[in-house]
Amino acid sequence: MKGLILKDLLNLKKQGKIFPLIIIFYMILSVIVDEATFFLGFVVLLCSMVPVTTLAYDEKSRWDKYALTMPVSRKDLVMSKYMLGLLCLLAGVLVTFLFHAVTALVKSQPLDSYLMLTLAALSSMGLLFLSLNLPLIYKFGTEKGRFIYIALAILLLMPMTGTSFESYQTMLSGRIEYLYFLPLIAFVLFFASLGLSIKIMNRKNFV
Amino acid sequence: MNALEITNLSKSYKDFALQNINITLPKGCIIGFIGENGAGKSTTIKLILDLIGRDSGDIKVLGQDNRTAASWMKEHIGVVLDEACFPEGLQAKDVNLIMKSMYKTWDEQKFVALLSKFSLPKDKIVKDYSRGMKMKLNIAVALSHDSKLLILDEATSGLDPIVRDEILDVFLDFIQEEDHSIFMSSHITSDLEKICDYIAFIHKGRLLFCEEKDVLLSNYGILKCSQDELRGIAPDAVKGKRQSAFGVEALVLRDKVKGDYLIDPASIEEIMVYMAKERTI
């Protein structure tokens, strides 16, 4: 499994050079407009996209078929992608945390009291994104999987569009600590999704 | 112990079926797997590797079941598929790093030696490789761990004759160890004629024969005669024929042809083409 993750990281090396640049660009942007949450959300989104990107590369080079001729099982292939997702999210959270810590230090302000909560909520969103996306990609491939994912996301978000932002705020006001449960829910779904993806993979034929 | 034992292997699709394949590859030997496009060669190889599910039958690789002992088996086989599947952003030195954590028995020195033998650059990315170079990289990986059986699906097609010859030498070198064996499918029958001990011929999902090459070459011959003369020969001696205005060329079993005829030696390619033709008509 270590080899599989290593392969993804090495293969991303070329595109990877742009990643720090994008991150630095948004860092500067968020300092200028003095809006840190935006940057935070962006980094987490970027990180949770990584496994999906690597799956698209794998599909293009038909890597899975070849990897399965090595001492690697189908389960290993799936687990390596989920692991990669976790690692990238962790890295993203770490980068944003450091960014906030440093800016707080420079401005000699205390750390935003909601920072940890925002981080937890956003990385949970990242996990949910992966949990929904990966099984779809394993089942339908990256092309079709992406469309189904978008369709599904719109369907899920539809009921929310009617309600106003204020009503969410009043709904959450005073109970914002509940957001700490979000990571828990996200992790449960993440593992359920992992199990589902392994099941899909085990039935797959590699032509 | 046999390097590979396929018994009663079947797999059916909507428009194609692999039926009752039986192939045995004794340890220390090379078997050439021939057949036209779509005959079932790649399907058989994918079944050996358990990349697709089979309907029935048994497959033993190096004496072990290919499913229950999968991870052990994969450590000891080297596989070259009909396309090289390396991610495009990798360099040969990345491949070395990756394989080091894939195979317990990865031999870095051997890999580096093979890279320079095949004149593959270490820092060029796979995307910029030619097809031949990708195949060579793939072959280098297949040889750089403790492989006891090489499974090659069209490994030498798309390569020029000089490189092919080089690679055949590498294979012959590999087979020097007495517990090493090779299962290779190829369209290039002249390559197979050079190095194989056994030939298995698959046609439309059925195995027509799996025979020692020398026996095959001494059993079969090409008879050139007239139509009338051919009628005088026992029908079960004739395995295929090609007719022209000047006479008939027929693939025959030498010892079933009674009488004084001139029979030329048949090549593997001729045996394959004549037999396939006979089956189609």
Side-chain angles (χ1 to χ4, degrees):
Chain A
M1 185 144 88
K2 195 179 129 209
L4 291 171
I5 295 176
L6 190 64
K7 175 228 107 202
D8 281 336
L9 294 178
L10 288 172
N11 192 36
L12 279 173
K13 206 168 46 182
K14 257 190 121 190
Q15 288 79 12
K17 279 176 193 146
I18 315 169
F19 270 85
L21 285 177
I22 298 176
I23 288 178
I24 289 166
F25 172 74
Y26 277 94
M27 252 185 206
I28 296 167
L29 201 71
S30 74
V31 168
I32 293 169
V33 299
D34 203 24
E35 169 56 60
T37 334
F38 169 67
F39 170 69
L40 220 134
F42 177 77
V43 169
V44 171
L45 183 76
L46 203 69
C47 292
S48 56
M49 292 269 286
V50 171
V52 179
T53 312
T54 61
L55 272 168
Y57 285 130
D58 287 355
E59 199 173 281
K60 195 175 165 211
S61 60
R62 300 162 78 80
W63 160 262
D64 282 358
K65 183 173 79 170
Y66 181 42
L68 284 174
T69 72
M70 299 169 198
V72 157
S73 67
R74 289 162 190 243
K75 194 176 160 191
D76 292 337
L77 283 179
V78 175
M79 294 223 319
S80 79
K81 293 296 176 193
Y82 279 78
M83 196 66 133
L84 182 71
L86 275 184
L87 284 174
C88 288
L89 268 175
L90 203 70
V93 167
L94 218 68
V95 166
T96 38
F97 180 76
L98 283 176
F99 169 70
H100 281 276
V102 169
T103 40
L105 212 69
V106 170
K107 290 182 180 170
S108 58
Q109 285 170 345
L111 212 58
D112 184 0
S113 55
Y114 283 129
L115 177 63
M116 293 316 267
L117 194 65
T118 328
L119 275 177
L122 274 170
S123 40
S124 304
M125 292 307 284
L127 280 182
L128 287 173
F129 168 82
L130 281 176
S131 310
L132 198 59
N133 222 338
L134 291 179
L136 286 173
I137 291 177
Y138 278 117
K139 181 76 191 169
F140 301 103
T142 41
E143 278 306 304
K144 270 195 228 157
R146 220 190 316 246
F147 282 118
I148 296 171
Y149 172 74
I150 292 169
L152 213 64
I154 292 172
L155 213 68
L156 285 175
L157 291 174
M158 205 92 93
M160 297 189 195
T161 45
T163 31
S164 65
F165 185 67
E166 282 74 27
S167 67
Y168 280 113
Q169 273 189 324
T170 44
M171 206 170 82
L172 277 173
S173 63
R175 279 174 286 172
I176 203 150
E177 296 77 23
Y178 284 178
L179 274 181
Y180 282 113
F181 285 109
L182 205 57
L184 199 73
I185 299 166
F187 262 106
V188 169
L189 284 174
F190 187 72
F191 282 105
S193 158
L194 174 63
L196 183 64
S197 292
I198 291 172
K199 236 181 200 156
I200 293 169
M201 192 65 156
N202 279 338
R203 279 201 215 121
K204 212 171 198 172
N205 282 329
F206 291 87
V207 191
Chain B
M1 190 183 77
N2 291 317
L4 179 68
E5 254 179 78
I6 301 176
T7 18
N8 299 326
L9 180 66
S10 297
K11 166 84 184 172
S12 59
Y13 292 99
K14 255 180 261 159
D15 49 355
F16 171 78
L18 202 66
Q19 290 168 49
N20 248 353
I21 302 293
N22 287 286
I23 297 174
T24 304
L25 170 62
K27 214 188 236 180
C29 296
I30 305 182
I31 195 167
F33 194 36
I34 58 173
E36 64 238 79
N37 290 328
K41 298 191 300 286
S42 289
T43 305
T44 308
I45 286 174
K46 279 172 188 152
L47 285 165
I48 297 172
L49 297 168
D50 199 28
L51 288 174
I52 48 182
R54 60 187 177 232
D55 295 344
S56 61
D58 268 313
I59 300 172
K60 277 194 173 144
V61 177
L62 303 167
Q64 307 271 347
D65 185 86
N66 76 328
R67 284 175 170 172
T68 51
S71 76
W72 178 88
M73 165 190 113
K74 289 172 181 176
E75 181 73 44
H76 298 291
I77 57 172
V79 181
V80 181
L81 296 169
D82 50 356
E83 50 189 341
C85 306
F86 293 103
E88 290 186 331
L90 296 184
Q91 302 166 340
K93 58 181 182 194
D94 299 333
V95 172
N96 178 44
L97 281 177
I98 293 164
M99 297 306 161
K100 218 193 238 174
S101 37
M102 288 281 198
Y103 292 102
K104 287 188 206 108
T105 56
W106 183 250
D107 185 342
E108 186 171 353
Q109 278 179 332
K110 193 170 181 190
F111 184 67
V112 173
L114 281 169
L115 288 186
S116 65
K117 186 181 173 125
F118 291 153
S119 39
L120 291 172
K122 269 192 215 168
D123 41 14
K124 198 171 182 170
I125 58 168
V126 169
K127 196 180 181 180
D128 299 333
Y129 274 29
S130 66
R131 179 179 155 83
M133 288 163 87
K134 279 186 200 163
M135 280 331 237
K136 286 198 276 186
L137 181 61
N138 206 330
I139 291 166
V141 172
L143 290 168
S144 300
H145 56 101
D146 186 27
S147 323
K148 300 201 187 303
L149 169 66
L150 290 185
I151 297 177
L152 314 166
D153 193 0
E154 301 288 346
T156 53
S157 54
L159 301 178
D160 66 70
I162 296 149
V163 174
R164 250 168 43 217
D165 199 63
E166 251 176 65
I167 286 173
L168 289 186
D169 278 343
V170 173
F171 292 160
L172 283 174
D173 217 35
F174 172 84
I175 208 81
Q176 291 308 309
E177 299 273 335
E178 57 183 299
D179 63 342
H180 284 184
S181 330
I182 302 179
F183 180 93
M184 64 188 296
S185 84
S186 181
H187 288 305
I188 307 166
T189 46
S190 58
D191 282 358
L192 298 178
E193 216 158 325
K194 257 185 237 169
I195 67 168
C196 287
D197 305 298
Y198 288 82
I199 300 285
F201 179 26
I202 189 171
H203 181 66
K204 294 193 172 163
R206 287 169 186 271
L207 192 73
L208 292 193
F209 59 74
C210 178
E211 187 70 81
E212 263 181 78
K213 181 186 73 187
D214 294 338
V215 173
L216 208 62
L217 292 178
S218 66
N219 278 357
Y220 288 96
I222 299 288
L223 169 69
K224 290 176 184 158
C225 61
S226 68
Q227 294 269 18
D228 285 342
E229 282 173 306
L230 190 71
R231 265 178 229 125
I233 293 168
D236 63 338
V238 181
K239 292 294 172 191
K241 57 180 184 276
R242 179 190 290 163
Q243 288 172 337
S244 69
F246 307 104
V248 187
E249 283 179 29
L251 178 74
V252 293
L253 280 169
R254 281 173 186 271
D255 54 356
K256 287 203 173 160
V257 178
K258 307 277 184 275
D260 196 18
Y261 293 101
L262 184 68
I263 300 175
D264 293 327
S267 66
I268 299 291
E269 183 161 333
E270 281 167 323
I271 296 175
M272 177 177 151
V273 170
Y274 276 89
M275 277 191 156
K277 231 179 180 177
E278 187 72 9
R279 293 263 164 170
T280 325
I281 296 164

